[in-house]
Amino acid sequence: MNDKAQRPRVALVTGTGSGIGEAVMRHFCAQGHQVLAVDFQAEARQAAEHAGAAFFQADLTDGEACRAAVQDAVQRFGHLDILVNNAGIQHVSPIETFAEDKWRHIIDLMLTAPFLLTQAAWPHMRAAGWGRIVNIASVHAQVASPGKAAYVSAKHGMIGLTKTAALEGGSQGITANALCPAYVKTPLVDNQIADQARMHDMQEQQVIEQIMLKNAAVKRLIDPDEVASLVGYLASDAAGAVTGASWNIDLGWTAQ
């Protein structure tokens, strides 16, 4: 095995302050990867440092910040092997009253930023002949829910980006896959519960049972570590034959 094969993998993970991103960051650090954790909130630095990751604060709705994050990873660690596009937000409102600035912010963060990060990371992966892109989509990349026009549109778009990257990267040793989880126990989901309760004039527990888990065969929320484990597989050598796929981890939601 040559030195390049023996070197630690370098991963850039976005949205690491909590939830799925934090779990993925911790999982990679535990595997011995070198990790750059990217988050908008300065408070996320503490979680990154505690896990053993480096931290880069960035507003990923800014294209220059996306490119700077990739540059920082390469300058720190010498290369970049794995990109996990996870950062996301949610806004719940009917289409008729959905604010344009909310729409643009969600699309910029959850679709344009993954494209720009992929674009910036691509030359480094191509030069190494090895790369893993894992996009955290959602069950809402497969189905829709009322009140989530921007989120659903961004996640559907992420599947298209994933498939295109897979086709372009296949001959260069770069794979691209998407994960489509249902509701995960994260602060983002906690906020959605409150928003849905207001939108439907329901109690929060009713939202969980009657809206969020209505179509689920397994009646519980998903633990972030369950998603991180699947990300770890897709980012490994073992997943070299897997690309362009959408991996549902959705409690059986789409089995109907």
Side-chain angles (χ1 to χ4, degrees), residues 72-105:
D72 187 81
V74 174
Q75 286 180 339
R76 285 177 187 265
F77 304 119
H79 53 105
L80 180 59
D81 307 297
I82 301 164
L83 171 64
V84 180
N85 288 305
N86 167 73
I89 56 174
Q90 180 61 278
H91 179 70
V92 179
S93 178
I95 287 175
E96 188 175 11
T97 57
F98 206 105
E100 181 181 346
D101 64 332
K102 293 290 188 182
W103 168 275
R104 291 186 181 278
H105 187 72

CSV table of all heavy atoms in Angstrom, one decimal, residues 72-105:
chain,number,residue,atom,x,y,z
A,72,ASP,N,-9.9,26.1,2.8
A,72,ASP,CA,-9.4,25.9,4.2
A,72,ASP,C,-9.0,24.4,4.5
A,72,ASP,O,-8.0,24.1,5.1
A,72,ASP,CB,-10.4,26.5,5.2
A,72,ASP,CG,-9.8,26.5,6.6
A,72,ASP,OD1,-9.1,27.4,6.9
A,72,ASP,OD2,-10.1,25.6,7.4
A,73,ALA,N,-9.9,23.5,4.1
A,73,ALA,CA,-9.7,22.1,4.3
A,73,ALA,C,-8.4,21.6,3.6
A,73,ALA,O,-7.6,20.9,4.2
A,73,ALA,CB,-10.9,21.3,3.8
A,74,VAL,N,-8.2,22.1,2.4
A,74,VAL,CA,-7.0,21.7,1.7
A,74,VAL,C,-5.8,22.3,2.2
A,74,VAL,O,-4.7,21.6,2.4
A,74,VAL,CB,-7.2,22.0,0.2
A,74,VAL,CG1,-5.9,21.7,-0.6
A,74,VAL,CG2,-8.4,21.3,-0.4
A,75,GLN,N,-5.8,23.5,2.7
A,75,GLN,CA,-4.7,24.2,3.3
A,75,GLN,C,-4.3,23.5,4.6
A,75,GLN,O,-3.1,23.3,4.9
A,75,GLN,CB,-4.9,25.7,3.5
A,75,GLN,CG,-4.9,26.4,2.2
A,75,GLN,CD,-5.2,27.9,2.4
A,75,GLN,OE1,-5.8,28.3,3.4
A,75,GLN,NE2,-4.8,28.7,1.4
A,76,ARG,N,-5.3,23.1,5.4
A,76,ARG,CA,-5.1,22.5,6.7
A,76,ARG,C,-4.5,21.1,6.5
A,76,ARG,O,-3.5,20.7,7.2
A,76,ARG,CB,-6.3,22.4,7.5
A,76,ARG,CG,-6.8,23.7,8.1
A,76,ARG,CD,-8.2,23.5,8.8
A,76,ARG,NE,-8.8,24.7,9.3
A,76,ARG,CZ,-8.7,25.2,10.5
A,76,ARG,NH1,-8.0,24.5,11.4
A,76,ARG,NH2,-9.4,26.2,10.8
A,77,PHE,N,-5.1,20.3,5.7
A,77,PHE,CA,-4.8,18.9,5.7
A,77,PHE,C,-4.1,18.4,4.4
A,77,PHE,O,-3.7,17.2,4.3
A,77,PHE,CB,-6.1,18.1,5.8
A,77,PHE,CG,-6.9,18.5,7.1
A,77,PHE,CD1,-8.2,19.0,7.0
A,77,PHE,CD2,-6.3,18.3,8.3
A,77,PHE,CE1,-8.9,19.4,8.1
A,77,PHE,CE2,-7.0,18.7,9.5
A,77,PHE,CZ,-8.3,19.2,9.4
A,78,GLY,N,-4.0,19.2,3.4
A,78,GLY,CA,-3.3,18.9,2.2
A,78,GLY,C,-4.1,18.3,1.1
A,78,GLY,O,-3.6,18.2,-0.1
A,79,HIS,N,-5.3,17.9,1.4
A,79,HIS,CA,-6.2,17.3,0.3
A,79,HIS,C,-7.6,17.2,0.9
A,79,HIS,O,-7.9,17.6,2.0
A,79,HIS,CB,-5.7,15.9,0.0
A,79,HIS,CG,-5.5,14.9,1.1
A,79,HIS,ND1,-6.4,13.9,1.4
A,79,HIS,CD2,-4.6,14.9,2.1
A,79,HIS,CE1,-6.0,13.3,2.5
A,79,HIS,NE2,-4.9,13.8,2.9
A,80,LEU,N,-8.5,16.8,0.1
A,80,LEU,CA,-9.9,16.6,0.5
A,80,LEU,C,-10.5,15.4,-0.2
A,80,LEU,O,-10.5,15.3,-1.5
A,80,LEU,CB,-10.7,17.9,0.1
A,80,LEU,CG,-12.2,17.9,0.5
A,80,LEU,CD1,-12.4,17.7,2.0
A,80,LEU,CD2,-12.9,19.2,0.0
A,81,ASP,N,-11.0,14.5,0.6
A,81,ASP,CA,-11.5,13.2,0.0
A,81,ASP,C,-13.0,13.1,0.1
A,81,ASP,O,-13.7,12.4,-0.7
A,81,ASP,CB,-10.9,12.1,0.8
A,81,ASP,CG,-9.4,12.1,0.9
A,81,ASP,OD1,-8.8,12.1,-0.2
A,81,ASP,OD2,-8.8,12.3,2.0
A,82,ILE,N,-13.6,13.6,1.1
A,82,ILE,CA,-15.1,13.4,1.4
A,82,ILE,C,-15.8,14.7,1.6
A,82,ILE,O,-15.3,15.6,2.4
A,82,ILE,CB,-15.2,12.5,2.7
A,82,ILE,CG1,-14.5,11.2,2.5
A,82,ILE,CG2,-16.7,12.3,3.0
A,82,ILE,CD1,-14.3,10.5,3.9
A,83,LEU,N,-16.9,14.9,1.0
A,83,LEU,CA,-17.8,16.1,1.2
A,83,LEU,C,-19.1,15.6,1.6
A,83,LEU,O,-19.8,14.8,0.9
A,83,LEU,CB,-17.8,16.9,-0.1
A,83,LEU,CG,-18.9,18.0,-0.1
A,83,LEU,CD1,-18.5,19.1,0.9
A,83,LEU,CD2,-19.0,18.6,-1.5
A,84,VAL,N,-19.6,16.1,2.8
A,84,VAL,CA,-20.9,15.8,3.2
A,84,VAL,C,-21.7,17.1,3.3
A,84,VAL,O,-21.5,18.0,4.1
A,84,VAL,CB,-20.9,15.1,4.6
A,84,VAL,CG1,-22.4,14.8,5.1
A,84,VAL,CG2,-20.1,13.8,4.6
A,85,ASN,N,-22.7,17.2,2.4
A,85,ASN,CA,-23.5,18.4,2.3
A,85,ASN,C,-24.8,18.2,3.2
A,85,ASN,O,-25.7,17.5,2.8
A,85,ASN,CB,-24.0,18.7,0.9
A,85,ASN,CG,-22.8,19.2,0.0
A,85,ASN,OD1,-22.2,20.2,0.4
A,85,ASN,ND2,-22.5,18.6,-1.1
A,86,ASN,N,-24.8,18.8,4.4
A,86,ASN,CA,-25.8,18.5,5.3
A,86,ASN,C,-26.6,19.8,5.8
A,86,ASN,O,-27.7,19.7,6.2
A,86,ASN,CB,-25.2,17.9,6.6
A,86,ASN,CG,-26.2,17.9,7.7
A,86,ASN,OD1,-27.2,17.1,7.8
A,86,ASN,ND2,-25.9,18.7,8.7
A,87,ALA,N,-25.9,21.0,5.7
A,87,ALA,CA,-26.5,22.2,6.3
A,87,ALA,C,-27.9,22.5,5.7
A,87,ALA,O,-28.1,22.4,4.5
A,87,ALA,CB,-25.6,23.4,6.0
A,88,GLY,N,-28.8,22.8,6.6
A,88,GLY,CA,-30.2,23.1,6.1
A,88,GLY,C,-31.0,23.8,7.2
A,88,GLY,O,-30.6,23.8,8.4
A,89,ILE,N,-32.0,24.4,6.7
A,89,ILE,CA,-33.0,25.1,7.6
A,89,ILE,C,-34.4,24.7,7.1
A,89,ILE,O,-34.6,24.1,6.0
A,89,ILE,CB,-32.8,26.6,7.6
A,89,ILE,CG1,-32.9,27.2,6.1
A,89,ILE,CG2,-31.5,27.0,8.2
A,89,ILE,CD1,-32.9,28.6,6.0
A,90,GLN,N,-35.4,25.2,7.8
A,90,GLN,CA,-36.8,24.9,7.4
A,90,GLN,C,-37.6,26.1,7.7
A,90,GLN,O,-37.3,26.9,8.6
A,90,GLN,CB,-37.3,23.7,8.2
A,90,GLN,CG,-38.8,23.3,7.9
A,90,GLN,CD,-38.9,22.8,6.5
A,90,GLN,OE1,-39.1,23.7,5.6
A,90,GLN,NE2,-38.9,21.5,6.3
A,91,HIS,N,-38.6,26.3,6.8
A,91,HIS,CA,-39.6,27.3,7.0
A,91,HIS,C,-41.0,26.7,6.5
A,91,HIS,O,-41.1,26.2,5.4
A,91,HIS,CB,-39.3,28.6,6.2
A,91,HIS,CG,-40.3,29.7,6.4
A,91,HIS,ND1,-40.5,30.4,7.5
A,91,HIS,CD2,-41.2,30.2,5.5
A,91,HIS,CE1,-41.4,31.3,7.4
A,91,HIS,NE2,-41.9,31.1,6.1
A,92,VAL,N,-42.0,26.8,7.4
A,92,VAL,CA,-43.3,26.2,7.1
A,92,VAL,C,-44.3,27.3,6.9
A,92,VAL,O,-44.5,28.1,7.8
A,92,VAL,CB,-43.7,25.3,8.2
A,92,VAL,CG1,-45.1,24.7,7.9
A,92,VAL,CG2,-42.7,24.1,8.4
A,93,SER,N,-44.8,27.3,5.7
A,93,SER,CA,-45.8,28.3,5.3
A,93,SER,C,-46.5,27.9,4.0
A,93,SER,O,-45.9,27.3,3.1
A,93,SER,CB,-45.2,29.7,5.1
A,93,SER,OG,-46.1,30.7,4.8
A,94,PRO,N,-47.8,28.2,3.9
A,94,PRO,CA,-48.5,27.9,2.6
A,94,PRO,C,-47.8,28.7,1.4
A,94,PRO,O,-47.3,29.8,1.6
A,94,PRO,CB,-49.9,28.3,2.8
A,94,PRO,CG,-50.1,28.4,4.3
A,94,PRO,CD,-48.7,28.8,4.8
A,95,ILE,N,-47.9,28.1,0.2
A,95,ILE,CA,-47.3,28.8,-0.9
A,95,ILE,C,-47.8,30.2,-1.1
A,95,ILE,O,-47.0,31.1,-1.4
A,95,ILE,CB,-47.6,28.0,-2.2
A,95,ILE,CG1,-46.8,26.7,-2.3
A,95,ILE,CG2,-47.4,28.8,-3.5
A,95,ILE,CD1,-47.2,25.8,-3.4
A,96,GLU,N,-49.1,30.4,-0.8
A,96,GLU,CA,-49.7,31.8,-1.0
A,96,GLU,C,-49.0,32.8,-0.2
A,96,GLU,O,-48.9,34.0,-0.6
A,96,GLU,CB,-51.2,31.7,-0.7
A,96,GLU,CG,-51.9,33.0,-1.1
A,96,GLU,CD,-53.4,32.9,-0.9
A,96,GLU,OE1,-53.9,31.9,-0.2
A,96,GLU,OE2,-54.1,33.7,-1.3
A,97,THR,N,-48.5,32.5,1.0
A,97,THR,CA,-47.9,33.4,1.9
A,97,THR,C,-46.4,33.2,2.1
A,97,THR,O,-45.8,33.8,3.0
A,97,THR,CB,-48.7,33.4,3.2
A,97,THR,OG1,-48.6,32.1,3.8
A,97,THR,CG2,-50.1,33.9,3.1
A,98,PHE,N,-45.8,32.3,1.4
A,98,PHE,CA,-44.4,31.9,1.5
A,98,PHE,C,-43.6,33.1,1.1
A,98,PHE,O,-43.6,33.5,-0.1
A,98,PHE,CB,-44.1,30.7,0.7
A,98,PHE,CG,-42.9,29.9,1.3
A,98,PHE,CD1,-43.1,28.7,1.9
A,98,PHE,CD2,-41.6,30.4,1.2
A,98,PHE,CE1,-42.0,28.0,2.4
A,98,PHE,CE2,-40.5,29.6,1.7
A,98,PHE,CZ,-40.8,28.4,2.3
A,99,ALA,N,-42.8,33.7,2.0
A,99,ALA,CA,-42.0,34.9,1.7
A,99,ALA,C,-40.9,34.6,0.7
A,99,ALA,O,-40.2,33.5,0.8
A,99,ALA,CB,-41.4,35.4,3.0
A,100,GLU,N,-40.7,35.4,-0.2
A,100,GLU,CA,-39.7,35.2,-1.3
A,100,GLU,C,-38.3,35.1,-0.7
A,100,GLU,O,-37.4,34.3,-1.1
A,100,GLU,CB,-39.7,36.4,-2.3
A,100,GLU,CG,-38.7,36.2,-3.4
A,100,GLU,CD,-38.7,37.4,-4.4
A,100,GLU,OE1,-39.7,38.2,-4.4
A,100,GLU,OE2,-37.7,37.5,-5.2
A,101,ASP,N,-38.0,36.0,0.4
A,101,ASP,CA,-36.6,35.9,0.9
A,101,ASP,C,-36.4,34.6,1.6
A,101,ASP,O,-35.3,34.1,1.6
A,101,ASP,CB,-36.4,37.1,1.9
A,101,ASP,CG,-37.3,37.1,3.1
A,101,ASP,OD1,-38.4,36.5,3.0
A,101,ASP,OD2,-36.9,37.6,4.1
A,102,LYS,N,-37.4,34.0,2.2
A,102,LYS,CA,-37.3,32.7,2.8
A,102,LYS,C,-37.0,31.6,1.8
A,102,LYS,O,-36.2,30.7,1.9
A,102,LYS,CB,-38.5,32.3,3.6
A,102,LYS,CG,-38.8,33.2,4.8
A,102,LYS,CD,-37.8,32.9,5.9
A,102,LYS,CE,-38.2,33.6,7.2
A,102,LYS,NZ,-37.2,33.4,8.3
A,103,TRP,N,-37.8,31.7,0.7
A,103,TRP,CA,-37.5,30.8,-0.5
A,103,TRP,C,-36.1,30.9,-1.0
A,103,TRP,O,-35.4,29.8,-1.1
A,103,TRP,CB,-38.5,31.1,-1.6
A,103,TRP,CG,-38.2,30.4,-2.9
A,103,TRP,CD1,-37.3,30.8,-3.8
A,103,TRP,CD2,-38.7,29.2,-3.4
A,103,TRP,NE1,-37.2,29.9,-4.9
A,103,TRP,CE2,-38.1,28.9,-4.6
A,103,TRP,CE3,-39.6,28.3,-2.9
A,103,TRP,CZ2,-38.4,27.8,-5.4
A,103,TRP,CZ3,-39.9,27.1,-3.6
A,103,TRP,CH2,-39.3,26.9,-4.8
A,104,ARG,N,-35.6,32.1,-1.2
A,104,ARG,CA,-34.3,32.2,-1.8
A,104,ARG,C,-33.2,31.8,-0.8
A,104,ARG,O,-32.2,31.2,-1.2
A,104,ARG,CB,-34.1,33.7,-2.2
A,104,ARG,CG,-34.9,34.1,-3.4
A,104,ARG,CD,-34.5,35.5,-3.8
A,104,ARG,NE,-35.4,35.9,-5.0
A,104,ARG,CZ,-35.1,35.6,-6.2
A,104,ARG,NH1,-34.1,34.9,-6.5
A,104,ARG,NH2,-35.9,36.0,-7.2
A,105,HIS,N,-33.4,32.0,0.5
A,105,HIS,CA,-32.4,31.6,1.5
A,105,HIS,C,-32.3,30.1,1.5
A,105,HIS,O,-31.2,29.6,1.6
A,105,HIS,CB,-32.8,32.2,2.8
A,105,HIS,CG,-31.8,32.0,3.9
A,105,HIS,ND1,-30.6,32.7,3.9
A,105,HIS,CD2,-31.8,31.1,5.0
A,105,HIS,CE1,-29.9,32.2,5.0
A,105,HIS,NE2,-30.6,31.3,5.6
